[in-house]
Amino acid sequence: DAMVIQNPRYQVTQFGKPVTLSCSQTLNHNVMYWYQQKSSQAPKLLFHYYDKDFNNEADTPDNFQSRRPNTSFCFLDIRSPGLGDAAMYLCATSRGGISYEQYFGPGTRLTVT
Amino acid sequence: AQSVSQHNHHVILSEAASLELGCNYSYGGTVNLFWYVQYPGQHLQLLLKYFSGDPLVKGIKGFEAEFIKSKFSFNLRKPSVQWSDTAEYFCAVNARGFGNEKLTFGTGTRLTIIP
């Protein structure tokens, strides 16, 4: 089945130790998104790629970076995780254009110790 | 920028009860509207969407939502809920012509169905 895959599902990292979360898709969608979701809160968009064009949200901390080496893969890099970065990180995709529906992966739960 | 409000944070119902979850958005232009559902331990899934046309849209699992433009609302309804509807429900809006591909989510409503 075509889908959005996130690895790992659970990630534990130490305070200040860089961590990378990965997302892949078999939908061949143009747009890939990264969201941060904290408990009982709405998913918060961090950034997205429309093809190779990177779009950063104004309030996304510099600590968060992203890479999209090809259509299928997108990575979220957290350079120096703080305790406040512990959250669920969701990857989503969409075709873009006039099709606005987003398809979500299962998420990676990040714990910072 | 657009915003979405979901006033019910936690709703508890008995099976077979009727459901209505509120969603209001603020944006003066044309919008696309969505309801997503997140079952326990699962990923966000699209429940239904409104782009244009009939303001009453039907989704999966017996859910429907009505877009009332004058009230900036897109409330979710189901006439008779089941235990399996226990989940978190998120309303989302996309403002057309402005960052087309971005969604703004509400804070979610946790629905608990008591058998």
Side-chain angles (χ1 to χ4, degrees), chain A residues 10-77:
Chain A
Y10 300 90
Q11 176 73 58
V12 180
T13 191
Q14 292 178 333
F15 182 94
K17 185 175 180 181
V19 65
T20 295
L21 309 182
S22 73
C23 177
S24 64
Q25 54 132 341
T26 60
L27 297 160
N28 203 32
H29 282 172
N30 298 102
V31 192
M32 295 187 77
Y33 310 79
W34 280 105
Y35 290 87
Q36 180 192 66
Q37 186 181 23
K38 295 188 176 180
S39 182
S40 301
Q41 295 184 22
K44 178 181 178 299
L45 182 65
L46 296 173
F47 26 58
H48 72 281
Y49 274 94
Y50 199 128
D51 295 322
K52 295 189 176 188
D53 292 333
F54 178 68
N55 299 271
N56 197 31
E57 293 301 296
D59 56 355
T60 297
D62 293 340
N63 199 24
F64 291 84
Q65 305 282 317
S66 186
R67 296 169 283 136
R68 188 179 186 186
N70 53 52
T71 300
S72 301
F73 285 87
C74 195
F75 300 98
L76 169 62
D77 301 307

Side-chain angles (χ1 to χ4, degrees), chain A residues 88-105:
Chain A
M88 179 72 84
Y89 290 88
L90 304 174
C91 176
T93 73
S94 77
R95 276 195 285 269
I98 61 170
S99 175
Y100 310 106
E101 177 181 343
Q102 293 185 18
Y103 296 78
F104 285 81

Side-chain angles (χ1 to χ4, degrees), chain B residues 51-115:
Chain B
F51 286 174
S52 64
D54 189 342
L56 184 63
V57 293
K58 296 193 183 297
I60 59 172
K61 304 188 180 186
F63 285 91
E64 65 179 31
E66 185 175 12
F67 171 49
I68 303 179
K69 189 174 180 180
S70 60
K71 295 184 177 180
F72 296 89
S73 70
F74 189 56
N75 291 355
L76 181 70
R77 300 195 293 246
K78 186 170 183 178
S80 177
V81 294
Q82 301 172 305
W83 177 79
S84 57
D85 293 325
T86 294
E88 186 110 24
Y89 292 81
F90 292 92
C91 183
V93 64
N94 157 268
R96 286 201 221 165
F98 180 74
N100 278 349
E101 63 275 11
K102 299 201 300 187
L103 286 179
T104 300
F105 284 88
T107 51
T109 297
R110 181 151 51 108
L111 176 64
T112 301
I113 306 300
I114 301 168

Side-chain angles (χ1 to χ4, degrees), chain B residues 13-75:
Chain B
L13 294 173
S14 298
E15 273 193 316
S18 65
L19 169 72
E20 180 159 3
L21 301 182
C23 173
N24 289 90
Y25 66 93
S26 65
Y27 182 70
T30 304
V31 293
N32 301 307
L33 297 155
F34 305 82
W35 275 97
Y36 280 84
V37 60
Q38 191 168 27
Y39 298 104
Q42 295 190 28
H43 61 278
L44 277 163
Q45 305 171 41
L46 183 69
L47 204 52
L48 48 77
K49 61 190 177 187
Y50 171 80
F51 286 174
S52 64
D54 189 342
L56 184 63
V57 293
K58 296 193 183 297
I60 59 172
K61 304 188 180 186
F63 285 91
E64 65 179 31
E66 185 175 12
F67 171 49
I68 303 179
K69 189 174 180 180
S70 60
K71 295 184 177 180
F72 296 89
S73 70
F74 189 56
N75 291 355

